[in-house]
Amino acid sequence: MQSGTAPPSLKSLAAALGLSTATVSRVLSGQGERYRISRVTRDRILAQAHGSGLVVDQLARSLRLRRTLTLGLVIPDISNPFFAQLARQIERHARHRGYAVFIADSEEDAAVEAQAVTLMLSRQVDGLILAPVGTPGTGAALHALRQRPCVLVDRLLPEHSLPAVSSDHRQGAVLAVRHLVERGHRRIACVQGSPGTFANDERIAGWRSGMQAAALACPDWLIRGSGYSIEAGVAAAHELLQLPQRPSAVLALGNLLALGVLRAVREAGVLIPDELSLVAFDDQLWATVTSPPLTIIEQPIEELGRQVLELLLERIAGPMNDPPERRILPARLIERGSVRSLAPIPPASCNPSP
Amino acid sequence: MQSGTAPPSLKSLAAALGLSTATVSRVLSGQGERYRISRVTRDRILAQAHGSGLVVDQLARSLRLRRTLTLGLVIPDISNPFFAQLARQIERHARHRGYAVFIADSEEDAAVEAQAVTLMLSRQVDGLILAPVGTPGTGAALHALRQRPCVLVDRLLPEHSLPAVSSDHRQGAVLAVRHLVERGHRRIACVQGSPGTFANDERIAGWRSGMQAAALACPDWLIRGSGYSIEAGVAAAHELLQLPQRPSAVLALGNLLALGVLRAVREAGVLIPDELSLVAFDDQLWATVTSPPLTIIEQPIEELGRQVLELLLERIAGPMNDPPERRILPARLIERGSVRSLAPIPPASCNPSP
DNA sequence: GAGAGTTGCACAATCGATTGCGCCCATCAA
DNA sequence: TTGATGGGCGCAATCGATTGTGCAACTCTC
């Protein structure tokens, strides 16, 4: 409190008390008992520490301990609600465990991603959570791979064997297609994000799988779009609307794509769900106030965040040579108003919990 | 490259080259010329550094230099699109300047905020950007204030004289009210966020000011709501809809509140804009796909992010005793479809650029 | 009252990079 | 040969905290 101009440090506190930094350090780190520091001394130190508002320099501490209590999180787009919510969960859990989190936005650019990872590694983060840029074969993860614990989230990299957590993109798409098929839809189109991306390709695979399970054809011309942006969604939807054999339903593989589809549909004067049904990935706050409210595939974001952090901390604590664990969490269909029934609904269950 | 198990460090590189760490350090930090290191040696060092993928330990560097090239950002809710976009801008600009950014979510809780700030200060961030929790009189900023450069964004703290950047909340509200008044609305209600919060109160003040400029009464019962959540928006809107003298227009002071209003209105079977007009703060991607598309007050998020970072870096570079600068950026009204004209529009301009 | 055991704390090396100071060697003039 | 000059680089202290080791002083015990 009265330290005045001197920055409060462990050293200054020791001097003020006529003790050595060693003793102060041991008491402040809770090792007082182990080192048999007398209760009197302990109390004096703790009192002075609280009184002076001492905050020990984690920099020096980290240097010595080779442990920073700091994590890195690199995601492709913070302003994408899915990643924003994910980041929120991860940061929250990390904070509760005493970790601070560097967050960086890779802008879906491999070079930026590599730069961000390097920036974090140079600051000696204890571990890294990566939602890698879509384009495969990027080298960013390679550095992280060998140097620090690293866990992937949402998007896996097939070429690297890293621990990862994601939702079951494929099953989510299957769910959506089944829902549509059960309501009589036969020509179901896809508005995709970035082809080559794990999540996207898995969802496409799920779509195919769902279509084939219903003995429906799934020609490539039913798949449109490239990139997770509203504009891309608009363009893809316009293409689909102009097909001679217009699909009766669209599956949008991302929330921004869904917005694009909605915009295109409005521009074309097409009514949802009367003339076109829509199911979209990712639940969003606004999905209940569009007209109509959107039927969506919801990813368990909170659980994703919790588990990816847990997995990372395990890797940090334990030996690195464990086989990389992959956790796939189930997605869920939430029915609202954007799907029209073209036929009586068969008795099959439409949303089994796996 | 061949360092094998030894972590690549400045020291190991020096050993491999038969040089001292001093020389290597000077070359790698670009001081080779100043210290007259021969070109041959310089090239050897740089070649080896690139070859081995050396990343110098910023921890040790920061300890010595008393400078971490690290910033802290604390916002009330990362998943709120406004803050997510703001964080994105700030992080992007910081990265371009070589800074890494800790981001924390204070959950609109003063205790969490204080914890997050302490976590960052202990890690010796060079500076802090704070969108402080609404409740006034919290002490979090007090610590930061005296210890490190700190700049506020979006929400100012009247009781502390800290540099700050925000949009002109008051003028934004005036803009909205004027727009509504010009279209014949006389009873214009407010769905507010957290009373006592700077942004909220400024917007309320703007609403009053706009109403009074049009010689309209602004009784307190036209102001509803507490808290920036969808649920709060729903509740406030329901209250307004049940008033004996129902307002003809609502001004929602936040994007989540707007969603709440939309939901409540839908539940009540009220049509926008036919039976109720709506203007909301913050532009959002989904604001164009609601029915109807929302007329909104847009804050210059990109510019906010750019300027707050710039201001912080100025404080870091320069002396701290400059008078705290405040930059207020103009807001803008974007007309879409959620306002009904009750009267012929007078010739007055409705969206002057200040 | 001397040796054994215990209590309570300090010394100093260490983490990895930075930097003021100064040493060594080569060259050149006298 | 000697002294002066300057180029090229190393020594060692430093940033602030951690921790193995060791050393006083104090308490027991016979």
PDB file of all heavy atoms in Angstrom, chain C residues 3-8, chain D residues 24-28:
ATOM      1  P    DG C   3      30.675 -33.245  21.860  1.00  0.00           P
ATOM      2  OP1  DG C   3      31.987 -33.898  21.648  1.00  0.00           O
ATOM      3  OP2  DG C   3      30.455 -31.851  21.469  1.00  0.00           O
ATOM      4  O5'  DG C   3      29.563 -34.143  21.185  1.00  0.00           O
ATOM      5  C5'  DG C   3      29.431 -35.503  21.576  1.00  0.00           C
ATOM      6  C4'  DG C   3      28.015 -35.964  21.299  1.00  0.00           C
ATOM      7  O4'  DG C   3      27.080 -35.145  22.052  1.00  0.00           O
ATOM      8  C3'  DG C   3      27.604 -35.838  19.826  1.00  0.00           C
ATOM      9  O3'  DG C   3      26.933 -37.029  19.449  1.00  0.00           O
ATOM     10  C2'  DG C   3      26.677 -34.639  19.782  1.00  0.00           C
ATOM     11  C1'  DG C   3      26.066 -34.665  21.194  1.00  0.00           C
ATOM     12  N9   DG C   3      25.646 -33.361  21.687  1.00  0.00           N
ATOM     13  C8   DG C   3      26.402 -32.214  21.714  1.00  0.00           C
ATOM     14  N7   DG C   3      25.754 -31.195  22.231  1.00  0.00           N
ATOM     15  C5   DG C   3      24.500 -31.706  22.559  1.00  0.00           C
ATOM     16  C6   DG C   3      23.375 -31.072  23.146  1.00  0.00           C
ATOM     17  O6   DG C   3      23.262 -29.899  23.510  1.00  0.00           O
ATOM     18  N1   DG C   3      22.318 -31.953  23.311  1.00  0.00           N
ATOM     19  C2   DG C   3      22.338 -33.276  22.952  1.00  0.00           C
ATOM     20  N2   DG C   3      21.228 -33.965  23.177  1.00  0.00           N
ATOM     21  N3   DG C   3      23.381 -33.892  22.397  1.00  0.00           N
ATOM     22  C4   DG C   3      24.428 -33.043  22.244  1.00  0.00           C
ATOM     23  P    DA C   4      26.560 -37.264  17.894  1.00  0.00           P
ATOM     24  OP1  DA C   4      26.962 -38.651  17.558  1.00  0.00           O
ATOM     25  OP2  DA C   4      27.031 -36.123  17.085  1.00  0.00           O
ATOM     26  O5'  DA C   4      24.970 -37.200  17.944  1.00  0.00           O
ATOM     27  C5'  DA C   4      24.272 -37.945  18.941  1.00  0.00           C
ATOM     28  C4'  DA C   4      22.782 -37.626  18.845  1.00  0.00           C
ATOM     29  O4'  DA C   4      22.511 -36.359  19.502  1.00  0.00           O
ATOM     30  C3'  DA C   4      22.263 -37.493  17.401  1.00  0.00           C
ATOM     31  O3'  DA C   4      21.033 -38.192  17.297  1.00  0.00           O
ATOM     32  C2'  DA C   4      22.092 -36.002  17.201  1.00  0.00           C
ATOM     33  C1'  DA C   4      21.752 -35.538  18.634  1.00  0.00           C
ATOM     34  N9   DA C   4      22.126 -34.150  18.905  1.00  0.00           N
ATOM     35  C8   DA C   4      23.316 -33.546  18.626  1.00  0.00           C
ATOM     36  N7   DA C   4      23.375 -32.288  19.003  1.00  0.00           N
ATOM     37  C5   DA C   4      22.125 -32.061  19.573  1.00  0.00           C
ATOM     38  C6   DA C   4      21.546 -30.915  20.167  1.00  0.00           C
ATOM     39  N6   DA C   4      22.186 -29.753  20.299  1.00  0.00           N
ATOM     40  N1   DA C   4      20.289 -31.027  20.631  1.00  0.00           N
ATOM     41  C2   DA C   4      19.665 -32.201  20.514  1.00  0.00           C
ATOM     42  N3   DA C   4      20.105 -33.344  19.968  1.00  0.00           N
ATOM     43  C4   DA C   4      21.353 -33.200  19.526  1.00  0.00           C
ATOM     44  P    DG C   5      20.373 -38.384  15.836  1.00  0.00           P
ATOM     45  OP1  DG C   5      19.802 -39.748  15.773  1.00  0.00           O
ATOM     46  OP2  DG C   5      21.320 -37.915  14.802  1.00  0.00           O
ATOM     47  O5'  DG C   5      19.175 -37.349  15.924  1.00  0.00           O
ATOM     48  C5'  DG C   5      18.296 -37.399  17.060  1.00  0.00           C
ATOM     49  C4'  DG C   5      17.387 -36.177  17.049  1.00  0.00           C
ATOM     50  O4'  DG C   5      18.142 -35.006  17.423  1.00  0.00           O
ATOM     51  C3'  DG C   5      16.781 -35.881  15.670  1.00  0.00           C
ATOM     52  O3'  DG C   5      15.372 -35.749  15.831  1.00  0.00           O
ATOM     53  C2'  DG C   5      17.415 -34.562  15.245  1.00  0.00           C
ATOM     54  C1'  DG C   5      17.757 -33.928  16.596  1.00  0.00           C
ATOM     55  N9   DG C   5      18.864 -32.984  16.543  1.00  0.00           N
ATOM     56  C8   DG C   5      20.114 -33.193  16.025  1.00  0.00           C
ATOM     57  N7   DG C   5      20.904 -32.151  16.140  1.00  0.00           N
ATOM     58  C5   DG C   5      20.121 -31.198  16.774  1.00  0.00           C
ATOM     59  C6   DG C   5      20.425 -29.872  17.160  1.00  0.00           C
ATOM     60  O6   DG C   5      21.473 -29.267  17.031  1.00  0.00           O
ATOM     61  N1   DG C   5      19.338 -29.257  17.767  1.00  0.00           N
ATOM     62  C2   DG C   5      18.120 -29.844  17.975  1.00  0.00           C
ATOM     63  N2   DG C   5      17.194 -29.109  18.580  1.00  0.00           N
ATOM     64  N3   DG C   5      17.810 -31.087  17.616  1.00  0.00           N
ATOM     65  C4   DG C   5      18.862 -31.706  17.019  1.00  0.00           C
ATOM     66  P    DT C   6      14.448 -35.553  14.526  1.00  0.00           P
ATOM     67  OP1  DT C   6      13.241 -36.393  14.715  1.00  0.00           O
ATOM     68  OP2  DT C   6      15.259 -35.693  13.299  1.00  0.00           O
ATOM     69  O5'  DT C   6      14.035 -34.033  14.697  1.00  0.00           O
ATOM     70  C5'  DT C   6      13.817 -33.541  16.014  1.00  0.00           C
ATOM     71  C4'  DT C   6      13.510 -32.048  15.980  1.00  0.00           C
ATOM     72  O4'  DT C   6      14.750 -31.298  16.047  1.00  0.00           O
ATOM     73  C3'  DT C   6      12.768 -31.545  14.742  1.00  0.00           C
ATOM     74  O3'  DT C   6      11.647 -30.789  15.197  1.00  0.00           O
ATOM     75  C2'  DT C   6      13.782 -30.672  14.017  1.00  0.00           C
ATOM     76  C1'  DT C   6      14.694 -30.210  15.156  1.00  0.00           C
ATOM     77  N1   DT C   6      16.089 -29.905  14.768  1.00  0.00           N
ATOM     78  C2   DT C   6      16.640 -28.694  15.128  1.00  0.00           C
ATOM     79  O2   DT C   6      16.039 -27.849  15.755  1.00  0.00           O
ATOM     80  N3   DT C   6      17.952 -28.516  14.724  1.00  0.00           N
ATOM     81  C4   DT C   6      18.733 -29.411  14.015  1.00  0.00           C
ATOM     82  O4   DT C   6      19.879 -29.140  13.717  1.00  0.00           O
ATOM     83  C5   DT C   6      18.089 -30.647  13.670  1.00  0.00           C
ATOM     84  C7   DT C   6      18.832 -31.673  12.895  1.00  0.00           C
ATOM     85  C6   DT C   6      16.802 -30.851  14.057  1.00  0.00           C
ATOM     86  P    DT C   7      10.533 -30.247  14.202  1.00  0.00           P
ATOM     87  OP1  DT C   7       9.225 -30.466  14.844  1.00  0.00           O
ATOM     88  OP2  DT C   7      10.809 -30.772  12.844  1.00  0.00           O
ATOM     89  O5'  DT C   7      10.844 -28.692  14.233  1.00  0.00           O
ATOM     90  C5'  DT C   7      11.111 -28.070  15.487  1.00  0.00           C
ATOM     91  C4'  DT C   7      11.604 -26.660  15.252  1.00  0.00           C
ATOM     92  O4'  DT C   7      12.994 -26.670  14.845  1.00  0.00           O
ATOM     93  C3'  DT C   7      10.846 -25.899  14.158  1.00  0.00           C
ATOM     94  O3'  DT C   7      10.500 -24.625  14.676  1.00  0.00           O
ATOM     95  C2'  DT C   7      11.835 -25.813  13.015  1.00  0.00           C
ATOM     96  C1'  DT C   7      13.169 -25.781  13.769  1.00  0.00           C
ATOM     97  N1   DT C   7      14.351 -26.247  13.015  1.00  0.00           N
ATOM     98  C2   DT C   7      15.488 -25.483  13.033  1.00  0.00           C
ATOM     99  O2   DT C   7      15.580 -24.433  13.623  1.00  0.00           O
ATOM    100  N3   DT C   7      16.549 -26.016  12.326  1.00  0.00           N
ATOM    101  C4   DT C   7      16.562 -27.206  11.623  1.00  0.00           C
ATOM    102  O4   DT C   7      17.568 -27.571  11.038  1.00  0.00           O
ATOM    103  C5   DT C   7      15.335 -27.946  11.631  1.00  0.00           C
ATOM    104  C7   DT C   7      15.241 -29.238  10.886  1.00  0.00           C
ATOM    105  C6   DT C   7      14.294 -27.444  12.330  1.00  0.00           C
ATOM    106  P    DG C   8       9.570 -23.609  13.837  1.00  0.00           P
ATOM    107  OP1  DG C   8       8.891 -22.708  14.788  1.00  0.00           O
ATOM    108  OP2  DG C   8       8.777 -24.404  12.881  1.00  0.00           O
ATOM    109  O5'  DG C   8      10.639 -22.766  13.036  1.00  0.00           O
ATOM    110  C5'  DG C   8      11.457 -21.828  13.735  1.00  0.00           C
ATOM    111  C4'  DG C   8      12.274 -21.073  12.731  1.00  0.00           C
ATOM    112  O4'  DG C   8      13.298 -21.949  12.199  1.00  0.00           O
ATOM    113  C3'  DG C   8      11.467 -20.585  11.520  1.00  0.00           C
ATOM    114  O3'  DG C   8      11.729 -19.204  11.331  1.00  0.00           O
ATOM    115  C2'  DG C   8      11.976 -21.433  10.363  1.00  0.00           C
ATOM    116  C1'  DG C   8      13.400 -21.728  10.809  1.00  0.00           C
ATOM    117  N9   DG C   8      13.993 -22.916  10.205  1.00  0.00           N
ATOM    118  C8   DG C   8      13.347 -24.082   9.867  1.00  0.00           C
ATOM    119  N7   DG C   8      14.163 -24.972   9.338  1.00  0.00           N
ATOM    120  C5   DG C   8      15.403 -24.346   9.335  1.00  0.00           C
ATOM    121  C6   DG C   8      16.659 -24.814   8.880  1.00  0.00           C
ATOM    122  O6   DG C   8      16.937 -25.896   8.385  1.00  0.00           O
ATOM    123  N1   DG C   8      17.667 -23.865   9.067  1.00  0.00           N
ATOM    124  C2   DG C   8      17.474 -22.624   9.617  1.00  0.00           C
ATOM    125  N2   DG C   8      18.545 -21.855   9.711  1.00  0.00           N
ATOM    126  N3   DG C   8      16.300 -22.174  10.034  1.00  0.00           N
ATOM    127  C4   DG C   8      15.308 -23.078   9.869  1.00  0.00           C
TER     128       DG C   8
ATOM    129  P    DA D  24      27.078 -21.331  10.468  1.00  0.00           P
ATOM    130  OP1  DA D  24      28.254 -20.847   9.732  1.00  0.00           O
ATOM    131  OP2  DA D  24      27.202 -22.462  11.412  1.00  0.00           O
ATOM    132  O5'  DA D  24      26.447 -20.089  11.233  1.00  0.00           O
ATOM    133  C5'  DA D  24      26.052 -20.280  12.554  1.00  0.00           C
ATOM    134  C4'  DA D  24      24.560 -19.962  12.700  1.00  0.00           C
ATOM    135  O4'  DA D  24      23.788 -20.948  11.992  1.00  0.00           O
ATOM    136  C3'  DA D  24      24.142 -20.037  14.165  1.00  0.00           C
ATOM    137  O3'  DA D  24      23.684 -18.754  14.553  1.00  0.00           O
ATOM    138  C2'  DA D  24      23.038 -21.056  14.222  1.00  0.00           C
ATOM    139  C1'  DA D  24      22.653 -21.275  12.744  1.00  0.00           C
ATOM    140  N9   DA D  24      22.317 -22.671  12.448  1.00  0.00           N
ATOM    141  C8   DA D  24      23.175 -23.680  12.106  1.00  0.00           C
ATOM    142  N7   DA D  24      22.588 -24.824  11.852  1.00  0.00           N
ATOM    143  C5   DA D  24      21.237 -24.556  12.048  1.00  0.00           C
ATOM    144  C6   DA D  24      20.081 -25.342  11.941  1.00  0.00           C
ATOM    145  N6   DA D  24      20.114 -26.622  11.573  1.00  0.00           N
ATOM    146  N1   DA D  24      18.904 -24.760  12.216  1.00  0.00           N
ATOM    147  C2   DA D  24      18.883 -23.470  12.566  1.00  0.00           C
ATOM    148  N3   DA D  24      19.894 -22.609  12.694  1.00  0.00           N
ATOM    149  C4   DA D  24      21.052 -23.219  12.422  1.00  0.00           C
ATOM    150  P    DA D  25      23.894 -18.325  16.073  1.00  0.00           P
ATOM    151  OP1  DA D  25      23.929 -16.835  16.078  1.00  0.00           O
ATOM    152  OP2  DA D  25      25.016 -19.105  16.636  1.00  0.00           O
ATOM    153  O5'  DA D  25      22.556 -18.826  16.756  1.00  0.00           O
ATOM    154  C5'  DA D  25      21.309 -18.342  16.274  1.00  0.00           C
ATOM    155  C4'  DA D  25      20.202 -19.244  16.776  1.00  0.00           C
ATOM    156  O4'  DA D  25      20.262 -20.511  16.086  1.00  0.00           O
ATOM    157  C3'  DA D  25      20.285 -19.558  18.279  1.00  0.00           C
ATOM    158  O3'  DA D  25      18.998 -19.402  18.836  1.00  0.00           O
ATOM    159  C2'  DA D  25      20.718 -21.019  18.315  1.00  0.00           C
ATOM    160  C1'  DA D  25      20.063 -21.541  17.040  1.00  0.00           C
ATOM    161  N9   DA D  25      20.648 -22.768  16.506  1.00  0.00           N
ATOM    162  C8   DA D  25      21.970 -23.057  16.327  1.00  0.00           C
ATOM    163  N7   DA D  25      22.193 -24.245  15.820  1.00  0.00           N
ATOM    164  C5   DA D  25      20.932 -24.783  15.673  1.00  0.00           C
ATOM    165  C6   DA D  25      20.479 -26.024  15.181  1.00  0.00           C
ATOM    166  N6   DA D  25      21.301 -26.974  14.739  1.00  0.00           N
ATOM    167  N1   DA D  25      19.151 -26.238  15.170  1.00  0.00           N
ATOM    168  C2   DA D  25      18.339 -25.275  15.617  1.00  0.00           C
ATOM    169  N3   DA D  25      18.649 -24.070  16.092  1.00  0.00           N
ATOM    170  C4   DA D  25      19.970 -23.886  16.086  1.00  0.00           C
ATOM    171  P    DC D  26      18.827 -19.289  20.465  1.00  0.00           P
ATOM    172  OP1  DC D  26      18.758 -17.856  20.815  1.00  0.00           O
ATOM    173  OP2  DC D  26      19.830 -20.156  21.120  1.00  0.00           O
ATOM    174  O5'  DC D  26      17.382 -19.923  20.677  1.00  0.00           O
ATOM    175  C5'  DC D  26      16.692 -20.475  19.546  1.00  0.00           C
ATOM    176  C4'  DC D  26      16.251 -21.893  19.857  1.00  0.00           C
ATOM    177  O4'  DC D  26      17.109 -22.847  19.194  1.00  0.00           O
ATOM    178  C3'  DC D  26      16.275 -22.271  21.341  1.00  0.00           C
ATOM    179  O3'  DC D  26      14.974 -22.697  21.726  1.00  0.00           O
ATOM    180  C2'  DC D  26      17.301 -23.394  21.443  1.00  0.00           C
ATOM    181  C1'  DC D  26      17.238 -23.976  20.029  1.00  0.00           C
ATOM    182  N1   DC D  26      18.464 -24.708  19.611  1.00  0.00           N
ATOM    183  C2   DC D  26      18.339 -25.981  19.055  1.00  0.00           C
ATOM    184  O2   DC D  26      17.204 -26.474  18.917  1.00  0.00           O
ATOM    185  N3   DC D  26      19.450 -26.660  18.678  1.00  0.00           N
ATOM    186  C4   DC D  26      20.660 -26.095  18.847  1.00  0.00           C
ATOM    187  N4   DC D  26      21.727 -26.803  18.462  1.00  0.00           N
ATOM    188  C5   DC D  26      20.819 -24.803  19.409  1.00  0.00           C
ATOM    189  C6   DC D  26      19.702 -24.141  19.787  1.00  0.00           C
ATOM    190  P    DT D  27      14.659 -23.056  23.261  1.00  0.00           P
ATOM    191  OP1  DT D  27      13.391 -22.379  23.624  1.00  0.00           O
ATOM    192  OP2  DT D  27      15.873 -22.870  24.083  1.00  0.00           O
ATOM    193  O5'  DT D  27      14.394 -24.628  23.157  1.00  0.00           O
ATOM    194  C5'  DT D  27      13.545 -25.134  22.129  1.00  0.00           C
ATOM    195  C4'  DT D  27      13.600 -26.655  22.121  1.00  0.00           C
ATOM    196  O4'  DT D  27      14.892 -27.102  21.612  1.00  0.00           O
ATOM    197  C3'  DT D  27      13.443 -27.309  23.503  1.00  0.00           C
ATOM    198  O3'  DT D  27      12.575 -28.437  23.377  1.00  0.00           O
ATOM    199  C2'  DT D  27      14.864 -27.737  23.853  1.00  0.00           C
ATOM    200  C1'  DT D  27      15.420 -28.089  22.471  1.00  0.00           C
ATOM    201  N1   DT D  27      16.887 -28.037  22.341  1.00  0.00           N
ATOM    202  C2   DT D  27      17.534 -29.100  21.777  1.00  0.00           C
ATOM    203  O2   DT D  27      16.969 -30.096  21.393  1.00  0.00           O
ATOM    204  N3   DT D  27      18.907 -28.954  21.670  1.00  0.00           N
ATOM    205  C4   DT D  27      19.660 -27.863  22.083  1.00  0.00           C
ATOM    206  O4   DT D  27      20.871 -27.859  21.934  1.00  0.00           O
ATOM    207  C5   DT D  27      18.918 -26.789  22.671  1.00  0.00           C
ATOM    208  C7   DT D  27      19.642 -25.568  23.159  1.00  0.00           C
ATOM    209  C6   DT D  27      17.574 -26.908  22.782  1.00  0.00           C
ATOM    210  P    DC D  28      11.722 -28.888  24.661  1.00  0.00           P
ATOM    211  OP1  DC D  28      10.303 -28.942  24.258  1.00  0.00           O
ATOM    212  OP2  DC D  28      12.134 -28.077  25.847  1.00  0.00           O
ATOM    213  O5'  DC D  28      12.262 -30.376  24.888  1.00  0.00           O
ATOM    214  C5'  DC D  28      13.659 -30.591  24.727  1.00  0.00           C
ATOM    215  C4'  DC D  28      13.909 -31.978  24.210  1.00  0.00           C
ATOM    216  O4'  DC D  28      15.193 -31.976  23.568  1.00  0.00           O
ATOM    217  C3'  DC D  28      13.984 -33.010  25.332  1.00  0.00           C
ATOM    218  O3'  DC D  28      13.542 -34.264  24.862  1.00  0.00           O
ATOM    219  C2'  DC D  28      15.462 -33.003  25.705  1.00  0.00           C
ATOM    220  C1'  DC D  28      16.161 -32.677  24.367  1.00  0.00           C
ATOM    221  N1   DC D  28      17.331 -31.785  24.536  1.00  0.00           N
ATOM    222  C2   DC D  28      18.576 -32.195  24.046  1.00  0.00           C
ATOM    223  O2   DC D  28      18.673 -33.305  23.477  1.00  0.00           O
ATOM    224  N3   DC D  28      19.654 -31.386  24.200  1.00  0.00           N
ATOM    225  C4   DC D  28      19.513 -30.203  24.809  1.00  0.00           C
ATOM    226  N4   DC D  28      20.614 -29.437  24.943  1.00  0.00           N
ATOM    227  C5   DC D  28      18.258 -29.752  25.302  1.00  0.00           C
ATOM    228  C6   DC D  28      17.204 -30.577  25.159  1.00  0.00           C
TER     229       DC D  28
END
